Amino acid sequence: MSNTRFVRNPLSFALASALVASVAPAFAQEAASAQPAPSAATDIDTITVTGSRIAKDTFNAVSPVQVITREESTIAGFNSTTGVLQSNAVTGGSDQINNAYGGYVVNGGPGVNTLSLRGLGPTRTLVLVNGRRMSPAGSRGAVGSADLNTLPSIAISHIEVLKDGASSIYGSDAVAGVVNIVTHQKFDGAQVEFQVNVPEHGGGEETRWSAMVGTVGDNWRLSGSLDIYDRKEIQFGQRGWASDCPREYYGRNDDGSYGAGDFLDPVTGEPVCWGLDAGGVTIGTLGTATFASNFFAPGTTGTSFNRWRPNAAATTSPVVGFEGVDYYTRTTYSPEMEKEALISPTTNVTGMLQGGLDLNALGNAEAYFEILASRRESEQLGYLQHTVDYAVGSPLLGQWSNLPAFLAAPADGSTNGKNVAARAFIGWGLYRNWQEVDFTRATAGLRGDLGATWKYDGYVSFAKSNSDYYTENRLTDRIAKAYDVVADGRGGFVCRDTSDGCVAAPVLSYDVVNGILPQNYRDYIMQVTHGVTEYTEKTASFGVNGRLFDMPWDTGGTAMAAFGVEYRGQEIDDTPDQNSINSNLYGFTSATPTRGKDNVKEAYAEIELPLLSGVNFAEELSINGSVRYTDYDSYGSDKTWKLGMLYTPVSWMSIRASRGTSFRAPALFEQYLGATSGFGNQSLDPCNSWGDLNDTASNRYKNCASLGLPADFQQTNSVTAFTKGGAETGLSAETSTSLTAGIVLQPEMPSWFGDLSIAADYYDVQVNNGVARLTTGNVLSLCYGQSQAEFTAGTGYCGLVSRDANNALTVTSGYVNVATDIVRGWDFTVRYTRDIGPGQFRANAVVTSFLEQAGKTFPNDPFKDTNGMIGAPEMTGQLNLGYNVGKWGFHYGLDWVDAVSSYEYYEKYDGVDYRPDYNMAIDAHFTSNASVQYSNDGWKVTAGVRNLADKNPPVISSGAYSVIGNAPLYSGYDMIGRSYHMNISKKF
């Protein structure tokens, strides 16, 4: 899905129409200039390419622009704009937040789909609709990027992708690049469309119903569209590779495969299954103080245990009726986990209305408007571990009433301040998240002529995202009430306080440990929590562009310029459920309100100087420069600039280069995020096995020893993490520099050979003073690495860390300006066309090659290059072959992700060789698609298959990366399997 077309005048609306009419999908890479493209279907004589504010009658530009036509998405089998934009052909293999991330905390909330170019993240990629900024949408407090779910489908003419910094043109966020969604401006008639995608292995069916109507009068235009998109859920159990729960794959077999060292489950004979947190979390297990016992589960090692599982035969065990288990024999997997959502469901309804009226005044002005509205209803199913704490001496302990304390009273108050004698680790089952996100964006403007050679365009825009988000949560105060019981006189127990319908917690039993809980108890402690997020953005913009002067020599051209001013105001107001605000969510992330606003005033100027034109060895030589002044309320003023050059020495070759600066103002959530709590794995504790540290003089060794912890200490509690915004610490904007340089070759070949076009573009982007959230691990490492005096005094980073009586750690962190990121590499594109027989053959290939994907969190850190690691492939590529004959078109596409390996990274930076132990390498991965299209009398039918070979995602060891089954959570690999698609459209 990556055909590329080179043209000497790319991207006019006329060209876009021509590309749409072709059967083979076409990516257009901006190239050199020649004669203007013939007009078609519109009267527009000047056009503006993404990356410039100057409207011209030719399409010469100094930065490469990729064009994706509407036809491209249809013939490749994509059923939504999201699918096209997140494909490897656009993103170069960078990981994207999609609907496989439903169980993860992501900016924008569950169900959001965002776009990241160059692997620099969605907040550094600017999305436009018809050249105007698309506002953020989503749920929860970290809304900061455009949600691709809000974009239309049938109304789109084409999509322009600029993979170059452009802050001097568009302002903040245009660091990694810009994506411009261009809709049909003059549509006359009606069109209806239906598409269905059906995976072979069940679940995940996608349907889209679309309609567009429009009419064009002598001095007016009006069109509207409606898209209804629905995707069903895919459960883990519907994909064999996903329901095969994660395994360590430890050690190599004789044939080179992994698993020789895996611990074999004595029950199944298979490697032990890590369904929850790579073994750090357990279910079907009872936790107590440590006891010596010779009654333990098969395969267990050791003679002392603090985790047990039910076994009625264990009559001589210190914990009667339970046998001891260790790290490997404790249970972490339940078959019910197979009902979790692999791909979460969503229903998106998007409507668009746009039009214009020629006023025959104010310089032949057109008054125009555009309204985009969408509603997303999305849902995620996840699996939940629950714990029931039995306090020392509680009557709910039943026959185990003599168990001593092994945990101090939890800080959340769930046991009413009483120490814990036994903790039942229970598999609760599935729980739901769901969201309803309403987004509206309305624009009204006026554009016309200023004299004979200048044009103006001014508009105002208002956008609003309003989200209701819901989660099934257990409430801590209700759990505490359920533990506070009295005898009911019938051999059972009731809550002491029944004012809210309290249901007593169940008496400890085998059934309770195995997850069989009374339904009325479940219903009492589990409640639906409801939060509301509102994000608004107001924009006012006015710009002019036109001819400045003719160059003072005969071989020059006409200097062009653009000037403008812009104002934007943004505001976020996220109000979580009151139980979240009060930290009353048991074992779940809580958050306080996020409220903040920011305003920016900007002015920009752009000038293009055609120094030479139509002379020997200079068919064209032009220079383009732009500058923007920005003044934010939040952090002050800044300037960005960009300088570029386009040189065409001969008609078949063009050389282009640009260098400039960009910036990204901190997102509102990065400044004002309310304190949000979460949990980290217990393995983050720097004092785990501190006695084994070789460097006994290190600060970490000394600091852990000073706590009085045993040398073989192992943390058994999750690390509680609090995150807050960085406004109070003076968070400032990121700055970046961007360099691109490329060559376009269109050799004049004999007619029998066909047409060949080649482009190679080098890119180098460096982000400085980057906004980063200090991770829990960062803070802990920095704290325990401080001097012993600082550690004891709790100063510096240790002021962000606390350790309670149970040795449970709590870490507070936030957003700071410390990070640096570098990405550099090459984009290669080749296109070949030739008439063969009665039709035309097309071959297009696109390859993205990263030379470096490096970063560092702190200024004094060394750069660490992740290029070539799992999730950051060094190279990706796409090949598309098409043949168009008469009313028929045939297409074949191949997507390629290069081999990846993480061994070198860990050996180089951590001095650890994981090669003999873990599978952290993946061979090159290929998936293909094919389709056929028939067109006649306004009808068009496209049918095809994606993932022809039904290729599963690759397999790696669990633990080192987020995995689904043993597949890495990475958007570059297909997780759906072979699927069939059909699109039917009719134009009237």
Side-chain angles (χ1 to χ4, degrees):
M1 196 262 337
S2 53
N3 294 311
T4 300
R5 164 169 291 195
F6 295 93
V7 290
R8 293 191 171 94
N9 304 287
L11 303 187
S12 69
F13 287 113
L15 176 61
S17 300
L19 290 176
V20 169
S22 65
V23 172
F27 273 74
Q29 186 82 11
E30 193 168 54
S33 66
Q35 300 303 314
S39 63
T42 109
D43 296 326
I44 298 175
D45 58 358
T46 56
I47 49 180
T48 303
V49 64
T50 300
S52 174
R53 296 281 188 176
I54 297 174
K56 301 171 289 184
D57 57 2
T58 61
F59 232 100
N60 314 337
V62 299
S63 297
V65 175
Q66 182 182 23
V67 169
I68 309 166
T69 70
R70 177 82 207 298
E71 185 74 9
E72 201 271 334
S73 64
T74 300
I75 204 163
F78 291 108
N79 206 340
S80 66
T81 307
T82 299
V84 178
L85 290 177
Q86 290 191 334
S87 68
N88 286 345
V90 176
T91 64
S94 300
D95 199 20
Q96 308 297 309
I97 300 300
N98 57 27
N99 291 285
Y101 283 78
Y104 293 81
V105 177
V106 297
N107 293 340
V112 74
N113 282 240
T114 55
L115 181 64
S116 168
L117 296 179
R118 304 291 191 208
L120 289 173
T123 57
R124 294 171 180 161
T125 299
L126 181 61
V127 178
L128 310 174
V129 173
N130 293 325
R132 295 178 284 273
R133 177 181 295 260
M134 190 65 172
S135 300
S139 62
R140 304 183 183 268
V143 175
S145 304
D147 181 4
L148 304 183
N149 290 299
T150 63
L151 297 175
S153 181
I154 195 172
I156 292 176
S157 165
H158 61 279
I159 299 170
E160 301 169 1
V161 182
L162 170 70
K163 296 182 182 179
D164 191 12
S167 285
S168 61
I169 303 296
Y170 298 110
S172 180
D173 306 342
V175 175
V178 180
V179 173
N180 185 23
I181 313 297
V182 181
T183 63
H184 293 283
Q185 296 297 293
K186 292 186 176 181
F187 183 80
D188 198 357
Q191 180 178 348
V192 293
E193 185 171 295
F194 170 74
Q195 180 163 333
V196 60
N197 292 50
V198 181
E200 182 174 299
H201 302 292
E205 296 86 356
E206 296 176 85
T207 57
R208 178 172 53 83
W209 299 85
S210 300
M212 180 167 59
V213 295
T215 184
V216 178
D218 292 337
N219 64 342
W220 58 279
R221 59 185 174 87
L222 181 67
S223 63
S225 67
L226 178 67
D227 296 284
I228 303 174
Y229 170 79
D230 181 78
R231 186 189 58 250
K232 304 300 182 185
E233 176 186 65
I234 298 180
Q235 297 180 353
F236 279 28
Q238 291 177 298
R239 298 295 181 271
W241 58 267
S243 59
D244 185 13
C245 64
R247 291 177 165 84
E248 283 187 307
Y249 290 131
Y250 181 82
R252 290 182 184 269
N253 295 308
D254 292 340
D255 63 1
S257 62
Y258 283 84
D262 281 354
F263 178 83
L264 299 181
D265 187 329
V267 178
T268 64
E270 298 292 328
V272 68
C273 174
W274 303 117
L276 285 169
D277 198 24
V281 180
T282 181
I283 57 176
T285 307
L286 185 68
T288 70
T290 301
F291 297 105
S293 176
N294 57 7
F295 209 107
F296 47 81
T300 300
T301 60
T303 58
S304 295
F305 307 97
N306 60 11
R307 296 292 185 271
W308 314 80
R309 71 181 184 189
N311 185 343
T315 56
T316 61
S317 173
V319 185
V320 176
F322 288 85
E323 61 184 10
V325 291
D326 62 11
Y327 179 82
Y328 284 101
T329 54
R330 65 180 65 176
T331 302
T332 63
Y333 183 76
S334 167
E336 198 169 9
M337 293 176 185
E338 296 183 10
K339 297 179 182 178
E340 287 188 90
L342 169 64
I343 302 294
S344 61
T346 189
T347 299
N348 304 333
V349 180
T350 304
M352 190 169 191
L353 184 66
Q354 53 187 344
L357 174 65
D358 294 336
L359 302 180
N360 294 319
L362 301 174
N364 299 315
E366 180 194 45
Y368 62 91
F369 77 93
E370 181 180 290
I371 300 173
L372 176 65
S374 72
R375 179 177 177 84
R376 164 165 63 94
E377 297 180 357
S378 49
E379 179 182 353
Q380 302 80 38
L381 275 182
Y383 188 86
L384 188 65
Q385 183 220 42
H386 181 60
T387 55
V388 179
D389 284 341
Y390 293 93
V392 175
S394 169
L396 297 176
L397 279 166
Q399 61 176 305
W400 296 278
S401 59
N402 292 326
L403 287 173
F406 87 107
L407 286 177
D412 61 9
S414 57
T415 62
N416 303 295
K418 297 179 180 179
N419 294 339
V420 178
R423 170 172 287 177
F425 297 93
I426 295 166
W428 177 276
L430 300 174
Y431 76 102
R432 297 173 61 221
N433 286 286
W434 66 100
Q435 306 81 36
E436 298 170 357
V437 183
D438 294 305
F439 176 80
T440 305
R441 176 179 178 267
T443 301
L446 192 68
R447 56 191 170 203
D449 298 329
L450 288 174
T453 61
W454 284 80
K455 296 181 179 296
Y456 71 89
D457 187 354
Y459 69 89
V460 293
S461 181
F462 175 80
K464 182 176 183 179
S465 170
N466 198 312
S467 168
D468 291 272
Y469 55 95
Y470 305 84
T471 305
E472 292 179 336
N473 269 307
R474 299 153 297 163
L475 304 185
T476 304
D477 61 350
R478 291 197 169 206
I479 289 174
K481 283 186 178 182
Y483 291 152
D484 186 12
V485 299
V486 295
D488 64 2
R490 298 187 301 273
F493 300 95
V494 295
C495 298
R496 190 182 303 275
D497 178 3
T498 60
S499 59
D500 61 354
C502 177
V503 177
V507 175
L508 180 59
S509 67
Y510 300 150
D511 281 350
V512 167
V513 176
N514 284 322
I516 303 173
L517 300 173
Q519 189 60 46
N520 58 350
Y521 169 71
R522 286 173 169 265
D523 294 341
Y524 173 68
I525 66 171
M526 177 75 88
Q527 300 290 308
V528 174
T529 57
H530 172 211
V532 177
T533 307
E534 188 174 287
Y535 193 105
T536 58
E537 184 171 76
K538 303 173 184 177
T539 304
S541 177
F542 182 80
V544 298
N545 74 86
R547 299 185 179 187
L548 279 180
F549 53 82
D550 291 332
M551 304 302 293
W553 47 85
D554 293 340
T555 56
T558 300
M560 308 288 288
F563 307 95
V565 292
E566 187 167 294
Y567 166 84
R568 289 194 310 278
Q570 301 169 315
E571 185 171 357
I572 188 171
D573 187 339
D574 174 62
T575 305
D577 188 273
Q578 193 63 43
N579 288 289
S580 176
I581 297 172
N582 295 339
S583 296
N584 195 36
L585 307 181
Y586 187 71
F588 204 80
T589 298
S590 63
T592 57
T594 297
R595 296 191 176 102
K597 58 184 178 181
D598 205 357
N599 297 287
V600 58
K601 298 174 284 292
E602 298 179 292
Y604 65 86
E606 180 184 3
I607 186 170
E608 184 163 290
L609 302 175
L611 303 179
L612 295 173
S613 178
V615 300
N616 290 336
F617 303 110
E619 291 284 332
E620 179 174 1
L621 175 62
S622 61
I623 295 176
N624 180 283
S626 57
V627 63
R628 175 176 289 249
Y629 174 80
T630 299
D631 186 7
Y632 270 88
D633 285 354
S634 60
Y635 78 92
S637 60
D638 203 350
K639 294 185 290 293
T640 55
W641 59 269
K642 186 174 183 179
L643 183 64
M645 176 272 294
L646 176 68
Y647 174 46
T648 305
V650 290
S651 61
W652 51 270
M653 180 175 69
S654 288
I655 300 170
R656 58 195 177 201
S658 68
R659 181 173 178 82
T661 62
S662 289
F663 76 98
R664 183 179 75 85
L668 290 180
F669 76 86
E670 291 171 332
Q671 298 185 66
Y672 303 110
L673 184 69
T676 302
S677 70
F679 301 92
N681 192 283
Q682 52 264 48
S683 62
L684 293 173
D685 193 330
C687 292
N688 284 332
S689 302
W690 64 270
D692 294 337
L693 295 174
N694 293 325
D695 186 2
T696 58
S698 67
N699 288 334
R700 178 183 166 192
Y701 184 95
K702 292 177 180 178
N703 291 332
C704 290
S706 70
L707 295 173
L709 300 172
D712 61 351
F713 170 77
Q714 288 292 320
Q715 180 62 264
T716 58
N717 299 289
S718 296
V719 179
T720 302
F722 290 97
T723 303
K724 59 183 180 180
E728 358 180 298
T729 59
L731 196 65
S732 62
E734 299 178 342
T735 60
S736 66
T737 58
S738 176
L739 168 68
T740 61
I743 184 170
V744 179
L745 302 176
Q746 295 176 285
E748 297 177 359
M749 310 298 293
S751 58
W752 60 264
F753 179 85
D755 295 326
L756 176 67
S757 302
I758 303 170
D761 288 285
Y762 173 80
Y763 57 88
D764 187 335
V765 182
Q766 177 166 329
V767 179
N768 300 303
N769 203 39
V771 176
R773 181 180 68 85
L774 292 183
T775 67
T776 301
N778 290 151
V779 175
L780 287 170
S781 177
L782 290 165
C783 167
Y784 280 78
Q786 291 181 183
S787 71
Q788 199 165 2
E790 293 173 306
F791 179 83
T792 303
T795 58
Y797 288 101
C798 286
L800 305 176
V801 179
S802 64
R803 186 183 290 267
D804 68 13
N806 290 321
N807 275 310
L809 288 166
T810 299
V811 176
T812 301
S813 63
Y815 291 92
V816 293
N817 289 100
V818 291
T820 303
D821 292 290
I822 296 175
V823 292
R824 60 185 184 90
W826 287 87
D827 289 327
F828 301 99
T829 312
V830 178
R831 177 182 181 269
Y832 173 73
T833 64
R834 186 180 188 278
D835 292 335
I836 299 178
Q840 186 185 58
F841 169 77
R842 299 184 182 189
N844 297 272
V846 176
V847 173
T848 294
S849 173
F850 284 97
L851 300 176
E852 185 177 11
Q853 300 180 71
K856 59 180 180 179
T857 302
F858 297 99
N860 294 328
D861 288 349
F863 275 104
K864 292 187 176 181
D865 189 1
T866 62
N867 196 33
M869 289 183 68
I870 293 172
E874 182 177 333
M875 300 181 72
T876 61
Q878 299 78 38
L879 171 68
N880 278 270
L881 307 176
Y883 185 69
N884 185 21
V885 54
K887 300 174 182 179
W888 292 88
F890 304 90
H891 167 75
Y892 173 80
L894 180 69
D895 284 354
W896 159 61
V897 177
D898 196 17
V900 290
S901 171
S902 297
Y903 297 124
E904 291 80 2
Y905 176 91
Y906 290 112
E907 289 174 12
K908 180 177 180 179
Y909 298 115
D910 296 345
V912 179
D913 183 7
Y914 287 113
R915 290 177 187 270
D917 300 328
Y918 293 103
N919 182 5
M920 293 194 295
I922 299 172
D923 292 335
H925 191 81
F926 297 88
T927 55
S928 57
N929 61 84
S931 61
V932 60
Q933 188 176 81
Y934 176 78
S935 305
N936 189 29
D937 194 26
W939 287 93
K940 185 174 291 185
V941 179
T942 307
V945 183
R946 290 193 58 79
N947 196 347
L948 273 168
D950 198 21
K951 199 77 172 286
N952 289 336
V955 169
I956 61 173
S957 296
S958 67
Y961 294 90
S962 295
V963 293
I964 299 176
N966 273 96
L969 181 62
Y970 166 62
S971 62
Y973 300 130
D974 184 276
M975 293 188 176
I976 296 174
R978 183 186 293 124
S979 63
Y980 306 92
H981 61 89
M982 175 174 286
N983 179 289
I984 302 173
S985 68
K986 169 65 176 175
K987 290 184 178 179
F988 302 92

